[in-house]
Amino acid sequence: MTELLTVLNANQLIVAFAIIGIIIWLSYWLSDTFTGGRIHGSAVAIVIGLVLAWVGGTKTGGSKGIADIELFAGIGVMGGAMLRDFAIVATGFGVDWHEMKRAGVAGMVSVVAGVIVSFVVGAAVAFLFGYRDPVAITTIGAGAVTYIVGPVTGAALGAGSDIVALSVAAGLAKSILVMTSTPAVAGLIGLNNPQSAMVFGGLMGTTSGVTAGLAATDPKLVPYGAMTATFYTGVGCLLVPSVLFLVVRAML
Amino acid sequence: MIIYGVALLSACLVAGLFIGEVLGDLIGVQANVGGVGIAMLLLILACNVPRFRFLVSGASAGGITFWSAMYIPIVVAMAARQNVAGAMDGGILALAAGVGAVVVSFALIPLISRIGSAPVAADERAGVADDD
Protein backbone atom coordinates (compact mmCIF):
# COMPACT_ATOMS: atom_id res chain seq x y z
CA MET A 1 0.00 0.00 0.00
CA THR A 2 2.82 2.40 0.86
CA GLU A 3 4.47 1.47 -2.44
CA LEU A 4 1.28 2.34 -4.33
CA LEU A 5 1.03 5.71 -2.58
CA THR A 6 4.69 6.40 -3.37
CA VAL A 7 4.07 5.71 -7.06
CA LEU A 8 0.88 7.80 -7.14
CA ASN A 9 2.48 10.74 -5.36
CA ALA A 10 5.54 10.67 -7.60
CA ASN A 11 3.38 10.79 -10.75
CA GLN A 12 0.65 13.26 -9.85
CA LEU A 13 -0.01 14.69 -13.31
CA ILE A 14 -0.24 11.22 -14.85
CA VAL A 15 -2.63 10.15 -12.08
CA ALA A 16 -4.73 13.24 -12.88
CA PHE A 17 -5.07 12.17 -16.54
CA ALA A 18 -6.43 8.80 -15.39
CA ILE A 19 -8.80 10.31 -12.82
CA ILE A 20 -10.21 12.89 -15.23
CA GLY A 21 -10.61 10.17 -17.86
CA ILE A 22 -12.66 8.09 -15.42
CA ILE A 23 -14.77 11.12 -14.42
CA ILE A 24 -15.54 11.89 -18.06
CA TRP A 25 -16.39 8.27 -18.83
CA LEU A 26 -18.71 8.18 -15.82
CA SER A 27 -20.26 11.52 -16.84
CA TYR A 28 -21.08 10.41 -20.35
CA TRP A 29 -22.55 7.19 -18.98
CA LEU A 30 -24.73 9.15 -16.54
CA SER A 31 -25.72 11.57 -19.29
CA ASP A 32 -26.75 8.77 -21.68
CA THR A 33 -28.42 6.56 -19.09
CA PHE A 34 -30.40 9.09 -17.10
CA THR A 35 -30.97 12.00 -19.48
CA GLY A 36 -30.76 10.29 -22.87
CA GLY A 37 -27.91 12.67 -23.68
CA ARG A 38 -30.07 15.75 -23.15
CA ILE A 39 -27.73 17.07 -20.46
CA HIS A 40 -24.34 17.08 -22.14
CA GLY A 41 -21.74 14.65 -20.76
CA SER A 42 -19.21 17.43 -20.37
CA ALA A 43 -21.73 19.49 -18.37
CA VAL A 44 -22.14 16.54 -16.01
CA ALA A 45 -18.35 16.18 -15.79
CA ILE A 46 -17.94 19.86 -14.89
CA VAL A 47 -20.55 19.58 -12.14
CA ILE A 48 -18.81 16.47 -10.75
CA GLY A 49 -15.57 18.47 -10.86
CA LEU A 50 -17.16 21.31 -8.90
CA VAL A 51 -18.57 18.89 -6.31
CA LEU A 52 -15.10 17.35 -5.87
CA ALA A 53 -13.69 20.87 -5.55
CA TRP A 54 -16.18 21.60 -2.80
CA VAL A 55 -15.33 18.35 -0.99
CA GLY A 56 -11.60 19.09 -1.24
CA GLY A 57 -12.04 22.67 -0.09
CA THR A 58 -14.13 21.79 2.96
CA LYS A 59 -11.80 18.92 3.92
CA THR A 60 -8.52 20.86 3.68
CA GLY A 61 -9.59 24.50 4.08
CA GLY A 62 -7.40 25.30 1.08
CA SER A 63 -8.29 27.35 -1.99
CA LYS A 64 -7.48 24.86 -4.78
CA GLY A 65 -10.41 22.47 -4.41
CA ILE A 66 -9.61 18.77 -4.69
CA ALA A 67 -6.03 19.64 -5.74
CA ASP A 68 -5.22 20.52 -2.13
CA ILE A 69 -5.34 16.81 -1.28
CA GLU A 70 -1.83 15.55 -2.10
CA LEU A 71 -2.99 12.49 -4.02
CA PHE A 72 -4.97 14.73 -6.39
CA ALA A 73 -2.44 17.56 -6.69
CA GLY A 74 -1.92 16.66 -10.36
CA ILE A 75 -5.45 17.87 -11.08
CA GLY A 76 -4.23 21.29 -9.99
CA VAL A 77 -1.51 21.19 -12.64
CA MET A 78 -3.79 19.78 -15.32
CA GLY A 79 -6.51 22.36 -14.63
CA GLY A 80 -4.13 25.23 -13.89
CA ALA A 81 -3.75 28.34 -15.99
CA MET A 82 -0.75 27.03 -17.97
CA LEU A 83 -2.35 23.97 -19.59
CA ARG A 84 -5.75 25.68 -19.73
CA ASP A 85 -4.40 28.58 -21.79
CA PHE A 86 -2.39 26.16 -23.96
CA ALA A 87 -5.52 24.16 -24.78
CA ILE A 88 -7.67 27.27 -25.33
CA VAL A 89 -5.20 28.58 -27.92
CA ALA A 90 -5.20 25.15 -29.59
CA THR A 91 -8.99 25.38 -30.00
CA GLY A 92 -8.31 28.44 -32.18
CA PHE A 93 -6.83 26.07 -34.79
CA GLY A 94 -9.30 26.04 -37.64
CA VAL A 95 -11.59 28.84 -36.47
CA ASP A 96 -13.28 30.85 -39.15
CA TRP A 97 -11.30 34.08 -39.40
CA HIS A 98 -14.14 35.89 -41.17
CA GLU A 99 -16.65 34.98 -38.47
CA MET A 100 -14.28 36.37 -35.88
CA LYS A 101 -13.75 39.60 -37.78
CA ARG A 102 -17.47 40.02 -38.42
CA ALA A 103 -18.22 39.87 -34.69
CA GLY A 104 -15.27 42.06 -33.80
CA VAL A 105 -17.21 45.26 -33.07
CA ALA A 106 -19.97 43.50 -31.15
CA GLY A 107 -17.24 41.67 -29.23
CA MET A 108 -15.48 44.88 -28.20
CA VAL A 109 -18.76 46.54 -27.20
CA SER A 110 -19.67 43.50 -25.13
CA VAL A 111 -16.39 43.59 -23.16
CA VAL A 112 -16.88 47.19 -22.02
CA ALA A 113 -20.63 46.75 -21.49
CA GLY A 114 -20.01 43.51 -19.59
CA VAL A 115 -17.54 45.09 -17.17
CA ILE A 116 -19.84 48.03 -16.45
CA VAL A 117 -23.02 45.95 -16.08
CA SER A 118 -21.45 43.39 -13.73
CA PHE A 119 -19.87 46.18 -11.70
CA VAL A 120 -23.14 48.10 -11.36
CA VAL A 121 -25.02 44.98 -10.25
CA GLY A 122 -22.31 44.05 -7.72
CA ALA A 123 -22.10 47.59 -6.38
CA ALA A 124 -25.89 47.84 -6.11
CA VAL A 125 -26.02 44.59 -4.13
CA ALA A 126 -23.32 45.93 -1.77
CA PHE A 127 -25.38 49.11 -1.31
CA LEU A 128 -28.55 47.09 -0.61
CA PHE A 129 -26.66 45.14 2.05
CA GLY A 130 -25.93 48.40 3.83
CA TYR A 131 -22.44 49.31 2.63
CA ARG A 132 -21.96 53.08 2.25
CA ASP A 133 -18.15 53.31 1.98
CA PRO A 134 -17.21 53.95 -1.69
CA VAL A 135 -14.05 51.80 -1.37
CA ALA A 136 -16.03 48.81 -0.07
CA ILE A 137 -18.80 49.23 -2.66
CA THR A 138 -16.29 49.54 -5.53
CA THR A 139 -14.31 46.50 -4.37
CA ILE A 140 -17.39 44.29 -4.06
CA GLY A 141 -18.61 45.55 -7.46
CA ALA A 142 -15.16 44.70 -8.86
CA GLY A 143 -15.53 41.15 -7.52
CA ALA A 144 -18.75 40.78 -9.51
CA VAL A 145 -16.64 41.62 -12.60
CA THR A 146 -14.16 38.78 -11.96
CA TYR A 147 -12.43 37.32 -8.93
CA ILE A 148 -9.19 38.85 -10.19
CA VAL A 149 -10.52 42.39 -10.68
CA GLY A 150 -11.86 42.29 -7.09
CA PRO A 151 -8.54 41.89 -5.24
CA VAL A 152 -6.66 44.08 -7.75
CA THR A 153 -9.17 46.89 -7.12
CA GLY A 154 -9.19 46.27 -3.38
CA ALA A 155 -5.39 46.55 -3.28
CA ALA A 156 -5.41 49.73 -5.38
CA LEU A 157 -8.04 51.42 -3.20
CA GLY A 158 -6.84 50.08 0.15
CA ALA A 159 -9.92 48.00 1.02
CA GLY A 160 -9.92 45.76 4.11
CA SER A 161 -9.17 42.06 3.73
CA ASP A 162 -12.73 41.10 4.70
CA ILE A 163 -14.08 43.17 1.81
CA VAL A 164 -11.51 41.68 -0.57
CA ALA A 165 -12.54 38.18 0.53
CA LEU A 166 -16.18 39.06 -0.18
CA SER A 167 -15.27 40.35 -3.63
CA VAL A 168 -13.37 37.14 -4.46
CA ALA A 169 -16.36 35.08 -3.28
CA ALA A 170 -18.69 37.13 -5.52
CA GLY A 171 -16.40 36.51 -8.51
CA LEU A 172 -16.24 32.77 -7.74
CA ALA A 173 -20.03 32.58 -7.44
CA LYS A 174 -20.31 34.25 -10.86
CA SER A 175 -17.75 31.95 -12.46
CA ILE A 176 -19.36 28.78 -11.08
CA LEU A 177 -22.84 29.91 -12.09
CA VAL A 178 -21.70 30.65 -15.65
CA MET A 179 -20.12 27.17 -15.89
CA THR A 180 -23.26 25.39 -14.77
CA SER A 181 -26.09 27.52 -16.18
CA THR A 182 -24.80 28.29 -19.69
CA PRO A 183 -25.96 25.03 -21.33
CA ALA A 184 -29.42 25.49 -19.80
CA VAL A 185 -29.98 29.05 -21.02
CA ALA A 186 -28.07 28.79 -24.34
CA GLY A 187 -31.22 28.24 -26.40
CA LEU A 188 -33.06 31.07 -24.70
CA ILE A 189 -30.39 33.70 -25.40
CA GLY A 190 -29.51 32.55 -28.93
CA LEU A 191 -26.08 31.24 -27.97
CA ASN A 192 -25.57 29.01 -31.01
CA ASN A 193 -23.31 30.90 -33.41
CA PRO A 194 -19.80 32.41 -33.35
CA GLN A 195 -21.12 35.96 -33.14
CA SER A 196 -23.22 35.43 -30.02
CA ALA A 197 -20.42 33.30 -28.52
CA MET A 198 -18.05 36.26 -28.83
CA VAL A 199 -20.63 38.55 -27.23
CA PHE A 200 -21.21 35.96 -24.51
CA GLY A 201 -17.47 35.79 -23.77
CA GLY A 202 -17.24 39.56 -23.64
CA LEU A 203 -20.27 40.03 -21.39
CA MET A 204 -19.47 37.27 -18.90
CA GLY A 205 -15.72 37.69 -18.97
CA THR A 206 -14.79 35.03 -16.44
CA THR A 207 -12.42 32.89 -18.54
CA SER A 208 -13.04 29.73 -16.52
CA GLY A 209 -16.81 30.25 -16.54
CA VAL A 210 -17.01 31.12 -20.23
CA THR A 211 -14.76 28.33 -21.49
CA ALA A 212 -16.38 25.67 -19.33
CA GLY A 213 -19.88 26.95 -20.09
CA LEU A 214 -19.26 26.88 -23.84
CA ALA A 215 -17.54 23.49 -23.66
CA ALA A 216 -20.70 22.07 -22.14
CA THR A 217 -22.91 23.85 -24.69
CA ASP A 218 -21.06 23.46 -28.00
CA PRO A 219 -17.27 22.96 -28.08
CA LYS A 220 -17.10 24.58 -31.53
CA LEU A 221 -17.97 27.93 -29.93
CA VAL A 222 -15.17 27.83 -27.34
CA PRO A 223 -12.51 29.77 -29.28
CA TYR A 224 -14.93 32.60 -30.11
CA GLY A 225 -15.99 33.10 -26.50
CA ALA A 226 -12.45 32.71 -25.17
CA MET A 227 -11.17 35.34 -27.59
CA THR A 228 -13.23 38.16 -26.05
CA ALA A 229 -13.21 36.84 -22.48
CA THR A 230 -9.44 37.11 -22.26
CA PHE A 231 -9.68 40.89 -22.69
CA TYR A 232 -12.30 41.29 -19.98
CA THR A 233 -10.18 41.08 -16.83
CA GLY A 234 -7.67 43.58 -18.25
CA VAL A 235 -10.40 46.05 -19.15
CA GLY A 236 -11.95 45.52 -15.72
CA CYS A 237 -8.64 46.24 -13.95
CA LEU A 238 -8.41 49.38 -16.07
CA LEU A 239 -11.93 50.78 -15.60
CA VAL A 240 -12.98 49.77 -12.09
CA PRO A 241 -10.32 51.30 -9.80
CA SER A 242 -10.25 54.48 -11.89
CA VAL A 243 -13.37 55.73 -13.69
CA LEU A 244 -15.94 53.55 -11.98
CA PHE A 245 -14.52 54.27 -8.51
CA LEU A 246 -14.76 58.02 -9.18
CA VAL A 247 -18.37 57.60 -10.30
CA VAL A 248 -19.24 55.69 -7.13
CA ARG A 249 -17.53 58.29 -4.94
CA ALA A 250 -19.35 61.13 -6.70
CA MET A 251 -22.71 59.42 -6.19
CA LEU A 252 -22.35 58.91 -2.42
CA MET B 1 6.52 15.90 -37.04
CA ILE B 2 4.07 16.28 -34.17
CA ILE B 3 6.51 18.37 -32.16
CA TYR B 4 6.46 21.10 -34.83
CA GLY B 5 2.77 21.73 -34.20
CA VAL B 6 3.25 21.62 -30.42
CA ALA B 7 6.21 24.00 -30.69
CA LEU B 8 4.24 26.44 -32.83
CA LEU B 9 1.42 26.35 -30.28
CA SER B 10 3.89 27.05 -27.44
CA ALA B 11 5.52 29.87 -29.35
CA CYS B 12 2.13 31.49 -30.02
CA LEU B 13 1.06 31.20 -26.36
CA VAL B 14 4.32 32.59 -24.98
CA ALA B 15 4.40 35.45 -27.50
CA GLY B 16 0.71 36.26 -26.87
CA LEU B 17 1.08 36.23 -23.09
CA PHE B 18 4.16 38.42 -23.38
CA ILE B 19 2.33 40.98 -25.54
CA GLY B 20 -0.61 40.87 -23.10
CA GLU B 21 1.76 41.48 -20.19
CA VAL B 22 3.39 44.46 -21.97
CA LEU B 23 -0.07 45.85 -22.86
CA GLY B 24 -1.05 45.60 -19.19
CA ASP B 25 2.08 47.52 -18.17
CA LEU B 26 1.49 50.17 -20.83
CA ILE B 27 -2.05 50.95 -19.66
CA GLY B 28 -0.98 50.60 -16.04
CA VAL B 29 -3.03 47.60 -14.84
CA GLN B 30 -1.86 44.60 -12.85
CA ALA B 31 -3.27 42.10 -15.33
CA ASN B 32 -2.50 40.37 -18.58
CA VAL B 33 -4.57 42.13 -21.25
CA GLY B 34 -5.84 39.68 -23.84
CA GLY B 35 -2.72 37.50 -23.87
CA VAL B 36 -4.56 34.29 -24.71
CA GLY B 37 -6.69 36.04 -27.33
CA ILE B 38 -3.60 37.50 -28.97
CA ALA B 39 -1.94 34.06 -28.91
CA MET B 40 -4.98 32.66 -30.68
CA LEU B 41 -4.78 35.38 -33.33
CA LEU B 42 -1.09 34.54 -33.85
CA LEU B 43 -1.97 30.88 -34.36
CA ILE B 44 -4.72 31.75 -36.86
CA LEU B 45 -2.27 34.04 -38.63
CA ALA B 46 0.38 31.31 -38.76
CA CYS B 47 -2.16 28.94 -40.32
CA ASN B 48 -2.65 31.41 -43.16
CA VAL B 49 0.99 32.19 -43.92
CA PRO B 50 2.35 29.87 -46.66
CA ARG B 51 5.82 29.92 -45.06
CA PHE B 52 4.43 28.22 -41.92
CA ARG B 53 2.28 25.75 -43.86
CA PHE B 54 4.51 22.79 -42.90
CA LEU B 55 3.89 23.52 -39.21
CA VAL B 56 0.13 23.19 -39.48
CA SER B 57 -0.41 20.39 -41.98
CA GLY B 58 0.05 16.63 -41.92
CA ALA B 59 1.48 15.11 -38.74
CA SER B 60 2.40 18.54 -37.37
CA ALA B 61 -1.28 19.47 -37.21
CA GLY B 62 -1.75 16.50 -34.87
CA GLY B 63 0.34 18.32 -32.28
CA ILE B 64 -2.25 21.10 -32.23
CA THR B 65 -5.45 19.07 -32.62
CA PHE B 66 -4.39 16.82 -29.72
CA TRP B 67 -4.30 19.77 -27.34
CA SER B 68 -7.50 21.13 -28.79
CA ALA B 69 -9.16 17.79 -28.02
CA MET B 70 -7.67 17.79 -24.50
CA TYR B 71 -9.48 21.04 -23.87
CA ILE B 72 -12.63 19.60 -22.25
CA PRO B 73 -10.72 17.22 -19.91
CA ILE B 74 -8.58 20.17 -18.87
CA VAL B 75 -11.72 22.21 -18.18
CA VAL B 76 -13.06 19.38 -16.00
CA ALA B 77 -9.77 19.41 -14.04
CA MET B 78 -10.09 23.19 -13.80
CA ALA B 79 -13.58 22.83 -12.32
CA ALA B 80 -12.22 20.36 -9.76
CA ARG B 81 -9.67 22.88 -8.53
CA GLN B 82 -11.99 25.87 -8.15
CA ASN B 83 -12.43 27.41 -4.72
CA VAL B 84 -16.07 26.31 -4.45
CA ALA B 85 -15.91 26.22 -0.65
CA GLY B 86 -14.62 29.81 -0.70
CA ALA B 87 -17.57 30.92 -2.82
CA MET B 88 -19.97 29.32 -0.33
CA ASP B 89 -18.22 31.07 2.59
CA GLY B 90 -18.96 34.48 1.04
CA GLY B 91 -22.55 34.12 2.15
CA ILE B 92 -25.67 35.70 0.68
CA LEU B 93 -24.06 39.02 -0.35
CA ALA B 94 -21.37 37.35 -2.51
CA LEU B 95 -23.91 34.97 -3.98
CA ALA B 96 -26.39 37.78 -4.77
CA ALA B 97 -23.68 39.90 -6.41
CA GLY B 98 -22.43 36.99 -8.52
CA VAL B 99 -25.87 35.71 -9.51
CA GLY B 100 -27.14 39.21 -10.28
CA ALA B 101 -24.19 39.96 -12.55
CA VAL B 102 -24.72 36.71 -14.45
CA VAL B 103 -28.48 37.12 -14.90
CA VAL B 104 -28.23 40.71 -16.19
CA SER B 105 -25.31 39.81 -18.50
CA PHE B 106 -27.22 36.84 -19.94
CA ALA B 107 -30.15 39.15 -20.70
CA LEU B 108 -27.88 41.50 -22.68
CA ILE B 109 -26.49 38.81 -25.02
CA PRO B 110 -29.34 38.85 -27.56
CA LEU B 111 -29.25 42.68 -27.63
CA ILE B 112 -25.53 43.12 -28.27
CA SER B 113 -25.39 40.14 -30.65
CA ARG B 114 -27.49 42.21 -33.06
CA ILE B 115 -24.67 44.71 -33.55
CA GLY B 116 -23.04 44.16 -36.94
CA SER B 117 -25.00 41.47 -38.70
CA ALA B 118 -28.56 41.25 -37.51
CA PRO B 119 -30.11 39.28 -40.39
CA VAL B 120 -27.60 36.42 -40.28
CA ALA B 121 -27.86 36.01 -36.53
CA ALA B 122 -31.64 35.96 -36.77
CA ASP B 123 -31.56 33.33 -39.52
CA GLU B 124 -29.26 31.09 -37.53
CA ARG B 125 -31.45 31.38 -34.47
CA ALA B 126 -34.50 30.43 -36.47
CA GLY B 127 -32.65 27.46 -37.97
CA VAL B 128 -31.71 26.02 -34.60
CA ALA B 129 -35.19 26.57 -33.20
CA ASP B 130 -36.45 24.26 -35.95
CA ASP B 131 -34.02 21.54 -34.91
CA ASP B 132 -35.40 21.54 -31.40
Side-chain angles (χ1 to χ4, degrees):
Chain A
M1 195 60 201
T2 357
E3 289 87 347
L4 180 64
L5 278 177
T6 312
V7 170
L8 293 180
N9 279 329
N11 298 280
Q12 290 169 336
L13 180 59
I14 308 302
V15 173
F17 289 149
I19 294 172
I20 298 296
I22 292 167
I23 291 176
I24 290 183
W25 174 80
L26 179 71
S27 304
Y28 275 85
W29 181 80
L30 287 171
S31 159
D32 283 344
T33 313
F34 295 103
T35 75
R38 278 188 65 84
I39 297 176
H40 215 286
S42 41
V44 177
I46 287 164
V47 170
I48 293 179
L50 289 170
V51 170
L52 291 177
W54 178 76
V55 171
T58 39
K59 266 205 143 55
T60 64
S63 64
K64 287 201 304 246
I66 195 80
D68 278 323
I69 297 172
E70 199 190 356
L71 192 58
F72 304 118
I75 291 178
V77 179
M78 184 177 172
M82 182 171 68
L83 285 180
R84 184 198 65 189
D85 291 348
F86 197 57
I88 290 177
V89 175
T91 65
F93 186 59
V95 306
D96 188 336
W97 172 241
H98 297 286
E99 285 284 5
M100 210 164 249
K101 227 168 60 179
R102 206 164 54 118
V105 176
M108 290 300 168
V109 170
S110 67
V111 172
V112 177
V115 168
I116 295 174
V117 162
S118 288
F119 175 79
V120 169
V121 172
V125 168
F127 187 84
L128 285 177
F129 275 75
Y131 286 91
R132 292 294 179 271
D133 167 27
V135 170
I137 291 178
T138 307
T139 305
I140 294 169
V145 177
T146 70
Y147 56 77
I148 296 171
V149 181
V152 165
T153 302
L157 302 178
S161 64
D162 53 329
I163 299 293
V164 172
L166 264 183
S167 80
V168 172
L172 287 170
K174 176 181 177 182
S175 165
I176 292 164
L177 189 69
V178 174
M179 285 186 202
T180 48
S181 63
T182 301
V185 299
L188 212 63
I189 56 177
L191 183 58
N192 54 36
N193 57 76
Q195 164 120 355
S196 57
M198 279 181 80
V199 170
F200 165 76
L203 277 173
M204 297 301 167
T206 145
T207 309
S208 41
V210 165
T211 53
L214 286 177
T217 305
D218 179 358
K220 279 196 296 295
L221 299 178
V222 167
Y224 300 99
M227 173 63 83
T228 42
T230 60
F231 284 91
Y232 186 91
T233 289
V235 170
C237 291
L238 179 67
L239 291 181
V240 177
S242 55
V243 186
L244 294 176
F245 172 61
L246 293 178
V247 171
V248 169
R249 206 172 52 176
M251 282 171 67
L252 289 166
Chain B
M1 296 259 270
I2 280 185
I3 186 64
Y4 293 163
V6 180
L8 173 70
L9 192 55
S10 313
C12 289
L13 179 58
V14 172
L17 288 175
F18 173 68
I19 297 171
E21 211 53 50
V22 171
L23 265 179
D25 274 347
L26 283 179
I27 57 178
V29 300
Q30 298 156 281
N32 191 298
V33 181
V36 174
I38 295 165
M40 218 186 285
L41 287 176
L42 291 174
L43 181 69
I44 297 168
L45 205 70
C47 293
N48 289 293
V49 175
R51 207 176 217 292
F52 292 138
R53 201 73 243 172
F54 75 104
L55 292 175
V56 293
S57 51
S60 303
I64 303 173
T65 49
F66 171 79
W67 284 104
S68 177
M70 278 301 282
Y71 171 74
I72 288 178
I74 284 174
V75 162
V76 173
M78 177 187 79
R81 57 156 290 171
Q82 295 293 306
N83 190 0
V84 180
M88 304 271 195
D89 288 345
I92 298 292
L93 189 160
L95 209 64
V99 172
V102 173
V103 171
V104 177
S105 301
F106 269 143
L108 280 178
I109 292 174
L111 295 178
I112 298 186
S113 293
R114 286 197 200 122
I115 298 175
S117 54
V120 179
D123 285 351
E124 279 165 12
R125 263 201 291 282
V128 167
D130 287 345
D131 292 341
D132 285 346

